[in-house]
Structures are given as C-alpha cells and as structure tokens.
Amino acid sequence: MGSSRGSDIRVRRVYDPQEDGDGTRVLVDRLWPRGVSKDRAAIDTWLKDITPSDELRAWYHEDRTGTRYDDFVDRYRAELADPAHEAAVEKLVDLVRGGDPVTLVTAVKDVPHSHVPVLVDHLEHELRAH
C-alpha cells in the first residue's frame, strides 16, 4: 500500500510480510488479528485507543449496503478529536515526527473503506497543524 504523501506513514495488512522499510509497526485495530502470532506480526506498538469506538464499529458493520462510509468517516473524525483518543493520536504523531518510517498495521480486509485512511488523513492534518 506504500507510503502516503508528505510524511512517512505506511499502511500494511498484518497478513502481509514485514518489509525492511516498515520502520515502527503500529497495530491500529482494537482486537489482536486472528491467527497471527506476535512474532509473525512484528508489532512494535499496539494503539487500541486510536480505533473507532465499539459503538461506531458495530453501527458501521451493521450496514450491508455499503452506504454508511461517509457518515462513518465523519463520526470517526469526531472521535479522533475527543479526549479518549487524544493520547493515542499524540503518541502516533510523535512516532511519525521521530523521523523513521511508521507503518500502520491492520487486519481489515477492505482497507480503503476502513478507519485506516481516515486515521492517516487525521495524522497528516495534525502534522501540518503543528
């Protein structure tokens, strides 16, 4: 999935092999990926508190028509700005500012329609703002 523009934030599925250029690998899912050992995942940091709330995730996954994504994006952006997510966002921003690549690792099947692109966009906004 490669690097996003402007900063060295990468995205990779946990089921894909680790690569030399991954840098710090950060799991951005609330639950540990099924069937993946800690060694195989090679996760440096697990930020459960940066993920969508259980309520938001359940609401989004109830939708079998695929029409809720835009609302999901808006709701997750609001959650990322709340105090419950603040420390995790700050930790991730600090990791990216550290200069080494940061790879956001996820188990979701449909990464483009998940929380991950919203998170990357939010991080890039935070990096530009400060």
Side-chain angles (χ1 to χ4, degrees), residues 20-87:
D20 290 340
D22 282 353
T24 302
R25 290 172 54 92
V26 181
L27 182 62
V28 293
D29 292 344
R30 184 155 313 260
L31 303 174
W32 188 263
R34 184 173 294 158
V36 178
S37 70
K38 292 194 190 239
D39 284 342
R40 180 168 168 243
I43 298 300
D44 297 301
T45 303
W46 184 8
L47 293 178
K48 296 177 194 177
D49 293 337
I50 209 159
T51 63
S53 65
D54 291 338
E55 295 80 14
L56 179 56
R57 238 181 26 256
W59 172 84
Y60 180 51
H61 291 296
E62 282 173 358
D63 176 30
R64 299 287 179 220
T65 65
T67 59
R68 290 186 176 178
Y69 187 68
D70 290 339
D71 288 335
F72 169 79
V73 168
D74 292 340
R75 290 179 185 197
Y76 182 44
R77 282 188 183 157
E79 285 189 357
L80 284 169
D82 72 25
H85 289 77
E86 186 175 12

